[in-house]
Each structure stands twice: as C-alpha cells, then as structure tokens.
C-alpha cells in the first residue's frame, strides 16, 4: 500500500508526525511525504520537521506565499504530476490550511482516495478562510477522520453518510504527549528569565485579528495592560510581525516579543504559563490536554469541546472583556486539572492508520481520473 501525506503549514506538521511514526512501523506501507512549502521560513517549517523528528519530505514544492487563489492554484499545479506518478492508495490531508484544500481537489479529481484528518470542525464563520477550506474538503474527501463527537454531528448534519466517518481522536495530543520529555529539556524559561506559573503567553495570527488595524490596535492595547500584572511572552508569527511593523504601536514594547519558536521550546513555554491568550486553533486543544488556562481572542471557535470539556474560554476581542477574563483567570485556582476529552489519549495516529488499512470507505482505489 502506498500513502501520500500532503502538508503545507505549521499545524499540519504537528498532525503528520505521529501518523508518519505509526506508518513507519508498518512494513507493508510505503509512506511518501509531500511538503507544499506554504510555510517556508526556517522557524515555521524546518524547525518543526526537526523538533517533531519528521523525516525530510520526499517532495518539497516550494509554493510560498501569495493570495489564496495563487497559493491554492500553484499547489494544485505542482501536485498533479506527482500524484499522477505516485498513484497512492490514499492521499492523507490534515487540518484546514490552503495546502489541505489544494491537495484534496487535485487528488479527488485524479480519482485518488482522500482521507481528511481533523474532519468535521466548524466555526460557522464563513469569513475565516479555514472554514471555507474545512467545508470544501469534507464535502469531497472519502474518509473523514474526526477528533470528537461534535465533529461527527456537524458532518452528519451536512448530509455525510456514516460510512465515510471514523472518530479517531485528536492526533495533536499524540504529538504533545510524545514530545513532553524532550520539551522538558528546553532552556527557554531560563533564557527568557521567566518563572513557571508567573507569566502569560500570547499568539496572534488570524487575518481577522491582525490584518484589521483597529482590531490589532485594541488587542495590543489590552495585552499591554495585562503586561502590567505579569510578563507577557509573545512569539510573533511572520504575518503579525509585518502588520505590527507597519503600525509601529508603542504599546508593543510592553510585551516580550519573540521570533516564532520551535515546537519543543514553545511547548515548554506555554505548558508552564499562568495563562495563554490566543487565536490559534491548535493551542486551544493543546492547553486543554495539559490543563493550562486558555482565553481565545475570537468570537467563535471550531473547537467547542475545549470549552465544554477543557480549559478554554472564548472571550472575543473587546479589551475590557479580555482584561476581565484574564483577571478572573488569575484569581482562580492554579494549576487546573487537565480534563482530556474522550480519545485525546495519544493513540489517535494508530486509529488513523488502522482506518486507512481497513479501508472502509467503500470506494475502490484507482478510479480513473475525471476527464479534462
Ligand atoms: C496559515 C493557515 C492557518 C494556520 C497558520 C499557522 C491558511 C488559509 N491559513 O496561516 O490556518 O493556522 O498557517 O501558522 O492556510 N509567511 C512568512 N513565512 C512563512 C509563511 C508565511 O513570512 O514561512 C508570511 C507571508 O507574509 C505570508 C503570511 O505570512 O503572506 C501568511 O502566510 P500564509 O501561509 O498565507 O497564512 P498564515 O497566516 O500562516
């Protein structure tokens, strides 16, 4: 059996690592990794391959940045001849980035079967590019591998038949649990002169937050006020750095701005934080898995289970609401007990691989490509 995994951006690499490890244990499978190059900076891509112990990709497409159409179209054009040559039994895509959509469209139209890891998440906010990607991928992928029951419900409501669904749990948690011992060796807290439980960690990169100057100004203002209470460490995504440089806000100086961190350093940083404030999807899940308080600086989440069964609170982008939620958080008992949702147990990758090998999609491999 041949499986091609297509990854493009930082959160994809985290999901791929445990699946790649699990596939490497199966002698009957040849696994081919295709990195589209949507994320190309060493800090966003190479450092993650290294920290996650991923083998180098078999193909690196070097797609780079651009508009959504440019990024998606360039990826499709570069992928098509590779998939035509490799003819995998499965194309595995993960998450909701542009690489996920591009790979899915290319593969299904070549008659190849697609499995989507992290299927069924919905923010119900069509202004998010990721929501469009999630909906389109789930509409046409053959096998929908979901992290939690709410994702199954979303898909069933959209008319997906149960045969296409398989609840496998959260593969990010596999990566997290596997990396904990190595993260513990990171010297990041000493380097930043931070004490465990006595600082906050912030990440921001959603276009709705950082591309809109009034929103970014409000968020930075609220974070600067929080920095009067405790140090605020802020690893800055390249998109956000560009916007901050353009705005030149003086309040940014109150924050401990850092370059994007590798997976292990970042894990060690956030797991010991008193609280995290973020618009990332992955960090909402990761903080729930380890019982770290999380305030989500968005009005919606595609991961509501982290609120129902975890440590997450969706607080929006109003500065007063953010500061009130942060104060409430600082006043509540710490550390919190982790409450992991069902199947967030570090075994998701093995269930994913079982699902691929059992091949219950009901669709034969090697359908002819759709006619041009
Ligand atoms: C992408 C994903 C988002 C994910 C995030 C994780 C989509 C639509 N969005 O957002 O879901 O949460 O990755 O980081 O796929 N840039 C660099 N170096 C890089 C990559 C990007 O400087 O290696 C800069 C470029 O200016 C680029 C901008 O960041 O234009 C945005 O990059 P892009 O990959 O388009 O989206 P992200 O904001 O990273």
């Amino acid at each position: 059996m041949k499986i091609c995994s297509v990854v493009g951006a930082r959160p994809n690499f985290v999901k791929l690592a445990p699946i790649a490890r699990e596939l490497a244990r199966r002698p009957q499978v040849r696994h081919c990794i295709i990195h589209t190059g949507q994320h190309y900076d060493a800090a966003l891509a190479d450092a993650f391959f290294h920290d996650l112990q991923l083998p180098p990709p078999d193909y690196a497409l070097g797609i780079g940045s651009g508009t959504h159409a440019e990024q998606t179209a360039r990826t499709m054009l570069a992928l098509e001849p590779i998939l035509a040559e490799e003819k995998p039994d499965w194309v595995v895509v993960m998450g909701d980035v542009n690489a996920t959509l591009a790979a899915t469209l290319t593969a299904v139209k070549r008659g190849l079967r697609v499995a989507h890891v992290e299927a069924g998440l919905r923010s119900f906010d069509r202004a998010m590019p990721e929501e469009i990607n999630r909906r389109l991928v789930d509409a046409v992928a053959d096998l929908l591998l979901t992290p939690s029951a709410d994702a199954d419900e979303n898909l069933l409501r959209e008319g997906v038949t149960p045969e296409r669904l398989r609840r496998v749990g959260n593969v990010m948690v596999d990566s997290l649990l596997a990396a904990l011992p190595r993260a513990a060796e990171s010297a990041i807290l000493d380097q930043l002169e931070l004490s465990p439980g006595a600082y906050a960690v912030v990440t921001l990169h959603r276009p709705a937050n950082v591309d809109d100057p009034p929103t970014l100004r409000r968020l930075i203002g609220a974070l600067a006020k929080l920095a009067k209470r405790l140090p605020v460490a802020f690893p800055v995504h390249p998109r956000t750095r560009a916007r901050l440089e353009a705005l030149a806000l003086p309040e940014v100086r109150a924050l401990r701005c850092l370059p994007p961190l590798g997976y292990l350093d970042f894990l060690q940083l956030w797991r010991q934080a008193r609280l995290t404030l973020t618009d990332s999807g992955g960090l909402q899940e990761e903080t729930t898995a380890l019982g770290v308080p999380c305030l989500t600086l968005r009005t919606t989440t595609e991961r509501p289970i982290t609120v129902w069964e975890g440590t997450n609170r969706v607080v929006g982008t109003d500065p007063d609401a953010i500061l009130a939620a942060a104060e409430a958080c600082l006043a509540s008992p710490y550390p919190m007990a982790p409450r992991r949702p069902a199947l967030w147990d570090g075994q998701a990758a093995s269930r994913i691989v079982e699902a691929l090998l059992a091949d219950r999609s009901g669709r034969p491999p090697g359908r002819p490509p759709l006619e041009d």
Side-chain angles (χ1 to χ4, degrees), residues 95-157:
D96 53 18
V97 303
N98 287 339
T100 316
L101 175 63
T104 302
L105 287 179
T106 310
V108 290
K109 291 203 171 191
R110 296 269 347 151
L112 299 168
R113 293 177 306 175
V114 173
H116 183 206
V117 175
E118 202 186 83
L121 300 189
R122 297 289 181 268
S123 65
F124 303 100
D125 175 4
R126 288 170 60 99
M128 281 182 85
E130 295 82 0
E131 181 73 358
I132 307 295
N133 292 345
R134 291 190 276 262
R135 285 178 179 269
L136 292 173
V137 169
D138 286 343
V140 293
D142 297 271
L143 184 59
L144 301 175
L145 300 161
T146 64
S148 47
D150 56 304
D152 296 17
E153 284 159 22
N154 289 335
L155 292 169
L156 293 169
R157 213 180 306 115

Side-chain angles (χ1 to χ4, degrees), residues 11 38-41 44 65 71 97-98 130 205 237-239:
Q38 174 174 345
H39 281 178
Y40 47 87
D41 277 5
L44 296 197
S65 300
Q71 216 170 38
V97 303
N98 287 339
E130 295 82 0
H205 73 275
H237 187 285
R239 171 192 283 275

Side-chain angles (χ1 to χ4, degrees), residues 211-222:
D211 291 359
D212 178 46
T215 306
L216 184 57
R217 207 171 276 128
R218 277 202 312 274
L219 287 170
I220 296 295

Side-chain angles (χ1 to χ4, degrees), residues 109-307:
K109 291 203 171 191
R110 296 269 347 151
L112 299 168
R113 293 177 306 175
V114 173
H116 183 206
V117 175
E118 202 186 83
L121 300 189
R122 297 289 181 268
S123 65
F124 303 100
D125 175 4
R126 288 170 60 99
M128 281 182 85
E130 295 82 0
E131 181 73 358
I132 307 295
N133 292 345
R134 291 190 276 262
R135 285 178 179 269
L136 292 173
V137 169
D138 286 343
V140 293
D142 297 271
L143 184 59
L144 301 175
L145 300 161
T146 64
S148 47
D150 56 304
D152 296 17
E153 284 159 22
N154 289 335
L155 292 169
L156 293 169
R157 213 180 306 115
E158 288 169 19
V160 167
T161 51
E163 310 83 74
R164 283 171 65 206
L165 278 186
R166 181 79 192 270
R167 195 186 316 160
V168 291
N170 191 329
V171 77
M172 297 273 279
V173 178
D174 294 24
S175 266
L176 182 61
L177 299 180
L180 278 177
R182 283 182 302 128
E185 289 164 22
S186 157
I188 188 79
L189 262 68
D190 290 342
Q191 283 164 17
L192 299 176
E193 297 177 356
L194 294 171
S195 310
Y199 61 93
V201 170
V202 173
T203 77
L204 287 177
H205 73 275
R206 292 266 157 243
N209 278 344
V210 306
D211 291 359
D212 178 46
T215 306
L216 184 57
R217 207 171 276 128
R218 277 202 312 274
L219 287 170
I220 296 295
L223 296 169
K225 282 190 185 150
L226 179 63
K228 293 186 177 140
R229 291 277 272 121
L230 76 179
V232 175
F234 181 17
V236 187
H237 187 285
R239 171 192 283 275
T240 311
R241 180 165 297 276
R243 304 296 182 265
L244 287 174
E245 280 169 6
L247 282 181
L249 301 173
E251 294 96 322
V252 174
R253 287 199 287 272
L255 311 176
R256 304 277 291 272
C257 290
L258 310 169
L261 298 178
Y263 183 73
L264 297 173
D265 282 339
F266 186 55
L267 168 50
Q268 182 68 352
L269 183 65
W270 67 254
R271 71 184 283 226
Q272 310 221 53
R274 180 67 183 80
L275 83 155
T276 58
L277 303 97
T278 190
D279 60 11
S280 149
L283 194 56
Q284 295 173 51
E285 297 180 336
E286 293 169 322
T287 46
T288 273
L290 295 191
V292 176
C294 177
L295 303 181
T296 293
L297 308 182
R298 293 168 42 190
T299 50
T300 58
T301 179
E302 60 287 327
R303 291 156 163 98
I305 196 159
T306 60
V307 177

